[in-house]
C-alpha cells in the first residue's frame, strides 16, 4: 500500500513540475510572436518607404514580384499583410503601385525612365530635396538643370505665346554643355541660349559657338550669367531678352538646381519625333525664280555639273512654276531639259550687264500670278521644307492679321563641298540633301540666299536697283523690312538650303557691282540690322511633336 502511495506522490510531483515549465514557456512564445508581428507590420513598411525615397517621388513603377501585396514567383499565395493581423503601413505615394488589398495584374509592366517631378513648375526642390548648385565644377556636361530668377520665375524656352500664362515642365529644363571656355545651355528644342552682338538673347542656334557660351559666376547659392561680350542676363520689368551691362543683385542672380531623376533627353524632354512634313496638296502655290550664272562662264566642270544637279532638284519641288531668267542658250537648254520655265526677256543693267533684283521680282510676280514668290541664288539645293515653311508662315499671318497679307521668309544656307564626278540623285533625293546638310557648315547669319516675299509686301515697298550677284541687297532688304515693322521670319531652323561650294565663297565682294550696291544701301538706309538673327520671328521643328513651330525673339524669357 505504501508503495502505491509513493508512486502516486512521485507522479504528482512530475505533473506539477511539467505544468510549471509550460507556464514559463508561454511568455516566451508570446514574446516571439509579438516580435515577428512587429517586424512584419512595421519593418517591411519602413523598408518600402525607404525604397520609394531612393527611386524618387513618382519615380518607381511596379514590376512583377516587386509589390508588397504580390508574392514572388514560387512563393505562397498569402501576402505578408494578410498573414499578420493589426494595422498596415501607409501605401507609398505612387499611383502605379497597387494598394495591398487590390487585385494585382500578372501582365509585366515596363520600367520607364523616370521623368522630372510634376512639381518642378512650382519648385524643383519640392519632390526631392535638392540643394542649389554653388560651385562651377558642379556644372558638368550632360546634366539637366533649372534656372530660377530672384522673383521666382524660371528661365524657359517657350515658342510663340498663344495665351498661356506659364511655361510647361520641359520648357524649364536646360541641358548643360561645356565649350569655348564657358557654359552652354541647350533647351528642349535642341537649340542653345544665344546672345547676339546687339545684346539680345535668343534660342535659335542648333550649334553652340562663342555666341552661345556664357560665363557663370557663383555667389553663394546664386549665380550670374555673363555673355561673351560681357553683358548679363537680367530680370527687368518687361521680362525682355535684353542683356544688361552691369550685374546688379538681385536682378542678375539666379538659382541653379539639378533636376532629379532626369538623366536623358527622353526622361527630361520626352521622346524625339521626326518632322511631320506637309503633303504637297496642302502647300500654297508659289513661284520659285532665279538668274543663275551662264554655264559657259563657270570656271570648272564640277561647277557646271553642280548647276545641272541644282536644276534637277528645282524641277522636283512642288511649285506652281520655277522660272530661270537667262539669255544664255546653253543655260536655257539645261533648264529646259529639266522642265523649268525659261524667261529670256528681262531688264539688264547697262553698266554691269546683269539684271536687278527689283525687275526680276516684278516679272516673276507678273508671270506667276501667285500670292508668294521666292527668289533663290542659282547654286542652292532645297527640299520640300522650303515650301512647307512658307506655307506655315503664310497661314500664321492669315490667322493673326488682316489682308493684304505682308511677310517675308529668309534664312541661312549650309555650305557643302560636292566633288564627286558623275554624281546622280537617288529616288530618295531629299535624304541625300539632308545628308549634305548634316555634313556641311552653316554659313554666317548676315548672308541670305533666298527671299520668299508676299505679293502685297513687295508692291508696298520701294526697292533701289540693286544688281544681282552683288553684295548688300540681302542685308538692306531684311534690315529695312524689320525696321519698318513688317513680319520677317528666319526660316533657318526648318528650311534645308544647301549651297554647293564653288571655290570662292566671297568672290563677288570684290566686284564693281558690289561697290555699286553698297553705295545704294548707304543712300537708302544702310544695311544695319539685316542679319537673320534680327528677325523677330523664327521657325523650328518641335522634337516632342514633330510639328513646325514659330518662336518670338522679342518674347519673354522668364516664365512662371
Amino acid at each position: 500500500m505504501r508503495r502505491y502511495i509513493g508512486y502516486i506522490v512521485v507522479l504528482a510531483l512530475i505533473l506539477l513540475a511539467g505544468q510549471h515549465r509550460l507556464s514559463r514557456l508561454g511568455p516566451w512564445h508570446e514574446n516571439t510572436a509579438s516580435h515577428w508581428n512587429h517586424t512584419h507590420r512595421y519593418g517591411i513598411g519602413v523598408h518600402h518607404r525607404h525604397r520609394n525615397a531612393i527611386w524618387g517621388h513618382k519615380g518607381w513603377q511596379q514590376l512583377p514580384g516587386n509589390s508588397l501585396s504580390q508574392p514572388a514567383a514560387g512563393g505562397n499565395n498569402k501576402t505578408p499583410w494578410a498573414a499578420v493581423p493589426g494595422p498596415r503601413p501607409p501605401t507609398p505615394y505612387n499611383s502605379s503601385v497597387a494598394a495591398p488589398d487590390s487585385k494585382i495584374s500578372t501582365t509585366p509592366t515596363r520600367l520607364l525612365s523616370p521623368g522630372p517631378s510634376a512639381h518642378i513648375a512650382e519648385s524643383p526642390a519640392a519632390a526631392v530635396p535638392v540643394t542649389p548648385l554653388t560651385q562651377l565644377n558642379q556644372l558638368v556636361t550632360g546634366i539637366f538643370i533649372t534656372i530660377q530668377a530672384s522673383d521666382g520665375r524660371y528661365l524657359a524656352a517657350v515658342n510663340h505665346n498663344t495665351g498661356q500664362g506659364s511655361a510647361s515642365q520641359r520648357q524649364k529644363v536646360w541641358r548643360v554643355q561645356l565649350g569655348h571656355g564657358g557654359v552652354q545651355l541647350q533647351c528642349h528644342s535642341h537649340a542653345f541660349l544665344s546672345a547676339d552682338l546687339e545684346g539680345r538673347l535668343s534660342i535659335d542656334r542648333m550649334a553652340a559657338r562663342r555666341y552661345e557660351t556664357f560665363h557663370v559666376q557663383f555667389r553663394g547659392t546664386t549665380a550670374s550669367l555673363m555673355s561673351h561680350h560681357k553683358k548679363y542676363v537680367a530680370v527687368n520689368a518687361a521680362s525682355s531678352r535684353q542683356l544688361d551691362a552691369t550685374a546688379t543683385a538681385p536682378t542678375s542672380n539666379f538659382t541653379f538646381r539639378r533636376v532629379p531623376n532626369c538623366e536623358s533627353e527622353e526622361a527630361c524632354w520626352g521622346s524625339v519625333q521626326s518632322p511631320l512634313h506637309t503633303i504637297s496638296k496642302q502647300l500654297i502655290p508659289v513661284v520659285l525664280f532665279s538668274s543663275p550664272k551662264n554655264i559657259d562662264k563657270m570656271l570648272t566642270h564640277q561647277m557646271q555639273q553642280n548647276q545641272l544637279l541644282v536644276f534637277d532638284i528645282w524641277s522636283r519641288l512642288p511649285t506652281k512654276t520655277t522660272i530661270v531668267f537667262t539669255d544664255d542658250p546653253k543655260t536655257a537648254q539645261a533648264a529646259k531639259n529639266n522642265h523649268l520655265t525659261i524667261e529670256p526677256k528681262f531688264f539688264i543693267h547697262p553698266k554691269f550687264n546683269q539684271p536687278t533684283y527689283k525687275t526680276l521680282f516684278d516679272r516673276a510676280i507678273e508671270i506667276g500670278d501667285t500670292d508668294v514668290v521666292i527668289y533663290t541664288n542659282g547654286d542652292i539645293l532645297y527640299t520640300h521644307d522650303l515650301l512647307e515653311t512658307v506655307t506655315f508662315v503664310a497661314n500664321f499671318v492669315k490667322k493673326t492679321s488682316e489682308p493684304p497679307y505682308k511677310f517675308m521668309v529668309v534664312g541661312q544656307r549650309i555650305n557643302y563641298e560636292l566633288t564627286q564626278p558623275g554624281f546622280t540623285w537617288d529616288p530618295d533625293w531629299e535624304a541625300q540633301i539632308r545628308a549634305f546638310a548634316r555634313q556641311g557648315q552653316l554659313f554666317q547669319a548676315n548672308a541670305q540666299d533666298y527671299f520668299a516675299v508676299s505679293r502685297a509686301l513687295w508692291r508696298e515697298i520701294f526697292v533701289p536697283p540693286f544688281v544681282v550677284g552683288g553684295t548688300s541687297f540681302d542685308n538692306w532688304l531684311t534690315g529695312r523690312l524689320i525696321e519698318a515693322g513688317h513680319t520677317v521670319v528666319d526660316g533657318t531652323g526648318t528650311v534645308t538650303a544647301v549651297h554647293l561650294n564653288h571655290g570662292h565663297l566671297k568672290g563677288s565682294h570684290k566686284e564693281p557691282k558690289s561697290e555699286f550696291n553698297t553705295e545704294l544701301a548707304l543712300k537708302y538706309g544702310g544695311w544695319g540690322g539685316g542679319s537673320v538673327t534680327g528677325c523677330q520671328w523664327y521657325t523650328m521643328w518641335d522634337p516632342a511633336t514633330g510639328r513646325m513651330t514659330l518662336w518670338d525673339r522679342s518674347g519673354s524669357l522668364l516664365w512662371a
Side-chain angles (χ1 to χ4, degrees):
M1 185 67 179
R2 290 180 179 177
R3 186 171 59 182
Y4 289 113
I5 293 174
Y7 288 150
I8 293 172
V9 171
V10 171
L11 181 60
L13 291 173
I14 292 173
L15 291 174
L16 288 172
Q19 185 177 4
H20 176 69
R21 290 181 62 87
L22 287 174
S23 67
R24 293 186 62 186
L25 286 173
W28 176 87
H29 174 76
E30 291 175 1
N31 290 339
T32 303
S34 176
H35 173 74
W36 188 86
N37 289 347
H38 178 82
T39 301
H40 284 75
R41 286 183 190 177
Y42 304 108
I44 293 179
V46 170
H47 169 71
H48 190 49
R49 288 194 296 273
H50 176 65
R51 176 173 60 184
N52 194 56
I54 291 174
W55 282 97
H57 197 51
K58 285 191 174 182
W60 180 81
Q61 293 197 5
Q62 175 190 332
L63 287 175
N66 278 358
S67 171
L68 294 179
S69 57
Q70 182 181 5
N76 59 49
N77 292 325
K78 186 176 289 186
T79 69
W81 310 121
V84 181
R88 299 173 181 174
T91 302
Y93 183 70
N94 190 331
S95 59
S96 65
V97 178
D101 292 329
S102 65
K103 184 177 180 180
I104 301 299
S105 171
T106 57
T107 304
T109 304
R110 183 168 62 94
L111 185 62
L112 302 176
S113 300
S117 165
H119 298 290
I120 193 173
E122 299 172 5
S123 171
V128 177
V130 178
T131 57
L133 304 181
T134 58
Q135 298 179 19
L136 188 60
N137 59 14
Q138 293 175 307
L139 291 174
V140 296
T141 295
I143 68 169
F144 293 83
I145 64 172
T146 59
I147 304 173
Q148 189 176 24
S150 56
D151 63 0
R153 293 179 297 166
Y154 289 84
L155 202 67
V158 179
N159 58 333
H160 172 53
N161 182 13
T162 55
Q164 69 268 33
S166 61
S168 67
Q169 175 177 312
R170 69 188 182 97
Q171 291 170 331
K172 298 178 182 180
V173 177
W174 301 82
R175 178 166 53 186
V176 173
Q177 178 175 300
L178 302 183
H180 291 275
V183 175
Q184 298 154 347
L185 299 170
Q186 188 179 33
C187 75
H188 65 93
S189 71
H190 293 180
F192 288 85
L193 186 67
S194 179
D196 62 26
L197 291 175
E198 287 76 26
R200 294 170 301 186
L201 290 168
S202 62
I203 313 167
D204 57 350
R205 302 295 96 182
M206 305 303 289
R209 311 155 299 170
R210 64 187 182 95
Y211 294 98
E212 289 73 43
T213 303
F214 294 83
H215 297 281
V216 179
Q217 298 173 323
F218 279 98
R219 302 180 183 90
T221 59
T222 62
S224 61
L225 281 163
M226 184 177 68
S227 70
H228 68 96
H229 48 347
K230 301 187 185 307
K231 291 187 177 181
Y232 292 87
V233 180
V235 181
N236 53 49
S239 299
S240 70
R241 300 185 181 186
Q242 198 70 29
L243 293 168
D244 196 336
T246 60
T248 305
T251 59
S252 61
N253 287 347
F254 297 85
T255 302
F256 288 63
R257 291 187 178 92
R258 184 168 181 174
V259 181
N261 303 321
C262 190
E263 304 297 336
S264 67
E265 287 186 24
E266 184 174 356
C268 300
W269 296 328
S271 57
V272 176
Q273 303 295 325
S274 299
L276 298 175
H277 293 289
T278 306
I279 59 177
S280 296
K281 67 180 182 180
Q282 295 174 329
L283 300 173
I284 64 171
V286 301
V287 169
L288 181 70
F289 68 99
S290 182
S291 179
K293 294 179 180 179
N294 294 343
I295 289 181
D296 276 341
K297 294 183 179 180
M298 294 182 178
L299 301 178
T300 66
H301 176 72
Q302 185 66 50
M303 291 176 63
Q304 295 176 354
Q305 174 187 294
N306 289 352
Q307 187 63 70
L308 299 181
L309 292 172
V310 169
F311 282 167
D312 188 357
I313 290 301
W314 289 357
S315 70
R316 301 171 189 241
L317 297 176
T319 60
K320 181 178 180 180
T321 185
T322 297
I323 305 171
V324 174
F325 288 93
T326 182
D327 56 4
D328 174 57
K330 191 169 184 178
T331 305
Q333 186 60 49
K336 186 177 181 180
N337 291 343
N338 286 282
H339 311 288
L340 304 178
T341 300
I342 312 303
E343 179 52 51
K345 298 180 180 179
F346 50 92
F347 172 78
I348 296 292
H349 194 285
K351 182 177 180 180
F352 302 103
N353 198 32
Q354 292 284 337
T356 65
Y357 289 101
K358 175 174 171 49
T359 55
L360 292 184
F361 267 93
D362 290 342
R363 186 70 177 127
I365 289 174
E366 180 183 355
I367 295 174
D369 192 27
T370 58
D371 290 335
V372 180
V373 295
I374 307 174
Y375 171 82
T376 175
N377 283 348
D379 48 8
I380 309 294
L381 302 169
Y382 298 100
T383 64
H384 281 69
D385 53 29
L386 169 65
L387 289 306
E388 291 177 83
T389 301
V390 173
T391 298
F392 176 79
V393 172
N395 291 337
F396 165 74
V397 172
K398 289 179 181 179
K399 291 178 181 178
T400 57
S401 63
E402 298 294 330
Y405 304 115
K406 294 174 284 188
F407 66 90
M408 181 173 76
V409 179
V410 296
Q412 293 173 252
R413 75 187 193 217
I414 297 171
N415 289 329
Y416 180 76
E417 195 74 40
L418 180 61
T419 58
Q420 178 183 342
F423 177 87
T424 57
W425 296 114
D426 291 339
D428 192 358
W429 52 274
E430 290 193 301
Q432 289 177 290
I433 295 177
R434 293 191 179 104
F436 291 170
R438 289 191 298 270
Q439 299 164 19
Q441 295 292 325
L442 185 67
F443 198 45
Q444 58 203 45
N446 62 347
Q448 295 102 53
D449 287 66
Y450 61 89
F451 308 87
V453 185
S454 67
R455 172 195 294 262
L457 177 59
W458 185 260
R459 287 182 170 176
E460 179 177 307
I461 61 177
F462 165 76
V463 179
F466 290 99
V467 178
V468 171
T471 60
S472 302
F473 167 74
D474 52 355
N475 302 136
W476 177 88
L477 180 64
T478 301
R480 301 296 63 77
L481 291 182
I482 293 173
E483 185 179 56
H486 292 293
T487 300
V488 183
V489 179
D490 173 11
T492 304
T494 55
V495 175
T496 305
V498 177
H499 169 259
L500 296 180
N501 291 343
H502 41 68
H504 53 287
L505 295 180
K506 295 186 178 181
S508 62
H509 287 213
K510 302 176 182 179
E511 297 181 10
K513 60 184 177 182
S514 290
E515 295 180 7
F516 174 80
N517 283 0
T518 299
E519 292 176 1
L520 275 181
L522 289 172
K523 182 178 179 180
Y524 294 101
W527 56 80
S531 169
V532 297
T533 56
C535 300
Q536 177 183 349
W537 306 99
Y538 60 99
T539 56
M540 298 193 75
W541 296 107
D542 185 345
T545 64
R547 299 185 182 279
M548 193 176 296
T549 55
L550 190 68
W551 293 66
D552 182 0
R553 280 196 177 97
S554 64
S556 173
L557 192 63
L558 291 172
W559 291 77

